[in-house]
Amino acid sequence: VEDEKFLELVGQGIHVNELGHLEMPLPFRSPDPVLPSNQSAVFRRTRNTLTRLKTEPEKLAVCLKKMGKFIAAGHVEVVPSDEPKPPPGKAWWLPVFPVSHPRKGVRLVLDSAAEYGGTCLNDELLQGPDQNNRLLGVLHRFREKAVAFISDVEVMFHSFFVDKEHRDFLRFYWFASNDPEKSLIQYRARVHILGNRSSPSVAIYGLRHAAQSLPVGEGDGAEAAAAAQSFVRDNFYVDDGLGCAADAQEAVAVLRGARALLSRFKIRLHKILSSSAEVMSAFPPSERAEGLSEVSFDDAPLQRALGVTWQVQEDVFLIRVDLPKREFTRRGILATVNSVFDPLGIVAPVVLGGRLIQRAILKSVPTSS
């Protein structure tokens, strides 16, 4: 029921805004959401967080650079000081804090899960249906033809804007003029953000809407247009597109068609990488993922580590495993065996050894009466 409600809200609300971007509402559970005022609490928390951040100059510099990009791209905006205050219950403030990842580095997070007054923004939002393509199907289709290629949607969630009447629910505090020496002022997000529970479903819905919005006609270009639509619809796992073609010319045609299809809504498909040098040379350096010999498919937003790596030159899959250091106990063996995520089953013979050890231990342990 909630999934149907989500699809109805987003389907009826999706439109192209004045800047040419796809814009969708926040899918609230209630048609008229009223939230408690958490402004003061969030201001204090943000002030304390950013005060601590100033003691780490390198991390602060990364955060300022990222926020500067968001501001320049129009993904966030300053709330004008002369703008009338929103009605009571029609605004929500999000704490902002940095998160460090060993591989992805430092990123800024707007905490939609932060509670105040017994609720949080995520509690008020519908999650939406899981419309993401199944990983196993995407990986299988990636191996069907001779020439493999991948691409990536740039800041996928930020490619889709939020309706103006809902942007006040995405307010936060940050340095004026992005200058840490200045005071904190109010900003608000204009796009669907990473922390919202609805953002993955919203982004996938928007991506497919963009692909299907151009009718495929007849004639010489019809087949290429249909192939581009199929690539975006069936071969994406969140923001990663994994495709294949019979030859380099077909691969270039599919990628160019998909890029043209999405660019109509200012969605950028870039970081193109292929096992074919001819495909790579068909695109400018700014649109290619240069200098990569291996690609790990685990950078998708809000997804678990996939453990699957594509070795480009050899055009083969690898399984990267980081075995945890656990004691030799039943719990430790279980954790070690389950740490190998292998959706294709290509290392099942190796994992089987651990399974057999588990079975032997379970048989040796007497059952209690």
Side-chain angles (χ1 to χ4, degrees), residues 33-37 86-92 169:
V34 177
L35 278 69
S37 177
K90 296 302 180 181
W92 183 260
F169 291 101

Side-chain angles (χ1 to χ4, degrees), residues 193-208:
I193 60 174
L194 180 65
N196 285 359
R197 68 182 305 189
S198 58
S199 290
S201 292
V202 166
I204 293 170
Y205 186 98
L207 192 67
R208 292 185 173 179

